[in-house]
Amino acid sequence: MTTPRLAVLGSINVDHIMNISQFPKPGETIIGHQYKIAFGGKGANQAVACGRSGADITFIACVGDDAIGSEIISQLKTDNIHIDAISIIPQTPTGVAMILVNEQGENVISIVAGANGALTPTHFQQYHHVVEHADALLMQLESPLETVFEAAKRAKSHQTKVILNPAPAQPLSDEFLSFIDVITPNETEAEILTGVSVHDEAGAAKAAEILHRKGIKQVLITLGSRGVWFSEQGKGMIIPGFRVDAVDTIAAGDTFNGAFVTAILEGKPSVEAIRFAHAAAAIAVTRHGAQSSVPWRHEIESFLAERA
């Protein structure tokens, strides 16, 4: 039996991370406790989570023709990721994210696209075959929206399952959403997509129903420490996560998405796949950084075994 193939299309950034006591108010200067540079980008974070979870993954992305871009490609290769579809864009810097993390582990992030902006529909044409031959395609919204839309249409026309993590939050057309099989918004993203405030299970159920009516089969609304509202065929439930002492939530959502898709491709039932993803995310929030916090498969399995 062949191993299911996964394509991830998304962003690559270099993260500049500062740990502070509290977020500054406008005009205020805060003295930080720690500063470091790490590799990130929602696409790369999710690709790493897939690779370390055991997926057969090809990553479609762009970096700049700078030293940090070359370092990132080398690192991704060690994370069990096929890098043939990662392009180096001449005379362009690698994408950058500036991240502040407070003492509660919460974060605020600003991004400059850099080479990520070169992942246009025209550029993507040379990698159509990656999506067409994949069993699933995982995407986010840090790449040009028209490319994400084109990739979703291409995948759908070749029976490739499309999973969208709709972050950063922004409105999406009904036409776009009709090409999505599985969507994984957080509370804020779900509200932007549906107009429904998601503060409790009733709100999550209502938002999920609206997304179902747009043609999406499975809806996973991540609710932070409360877990995930999982809805399929109009029936929803809360699937709780694991209680841990969080120190940094930067890559929690990305880790969840990568581990979830990997588990689904392995044939795990949806609820079991969500529990696997919860475990991966729980481990990630106990560690600092983005990709540096993403666990390997054996760590996830050990975590689950301890809580069986």
Side-chain angles (χ1 to χ4, degrees), residues 161 181-183 204-205 208-209 211-212 216-221 229-237 239 260 264 268-271 274:
K161 189 171 189 173
D181 296 300
V182 183
I183 196 164
E209 180 55 35
L211 292 168
H212 285 316
I216 301 172
K217 297 180 182 68
Q218 292 186 329
V219 178
L220 286 71
I221 302 177
W229 179 263
F230 171 62
S231 182
E232 184 176 32
Q233 297 178 342
K235 297 180 180 179
M237 69 178 107
I239 301 177
F260 170 74
I264 287 294
K268 286 183 171 64
S270 297
V271 172
I274 291 172

Side-chain angles (χ1 to χ4, degrees), residues 121 124-125 128 139 145-155 176:
F124 170 62
Q125 286 179 1
H128 282 180
M139 298 187 291
L145 189 59
E146 59 270 24
T147 309
V148 180
F149 189 15
E150 172 62 27
K153 289 192 291 185
R154 176 71 51 174
F176 186 174

Side-chain angles (χ1 to χ4, degrees), residues 8 58 80 103-104 181 190 223-224 240 267 281:
V8 175
T58 298
N80 297 335
E103 288 183 342
Q104 287 71 49
D181 296 300
L223 304 172

Side-chain angles (χ1 to χ4, degrees), residues 173-195:
S173 70
D174 286 353
E175 182 185 10
F176 186 174
L177 293 173
S178 71
F179 293 104
I180 307 304
D181 296 300
V182 183
I183 196 164
T184 62
N186 63 19
E187 295 150 293
T188 300
E189 292 149 7
E191 181 173 353
I192 287 175
L193 291 173
T194 66

Side-chain angles (χ1 to χ4, degrees), residues 19-80:
N19 293 88
I20 56 178
S21 298
Q22 60 189 26
F23 298 132
K25 300 172 183 176
E28 182 181 13
T29 299
I30 294 288
I31 297 175
H33 305 315
Q34 184 180 13
Y35 166 76
K36 66 178 178 179
I37 297 174
F39 300 156
K42 293 194 72 64
N45 293 346
Q46 292 182 20
V48 168
C50 294
R52 293 185 186 177
S53 295
D56 179 2
I57 168 188
T58 298
F59 187 23
I60 304 170
C62 297
V63 297
D65 62 346
D66 44 25
I68 199 74
S70 298
E71 289 180 33
I72 289 171
I73 291 175
S74 296
Q75 177 59 47
L76 291 173
K77 190 174 181 180
T78 70
D79 288 317
N80 297 335

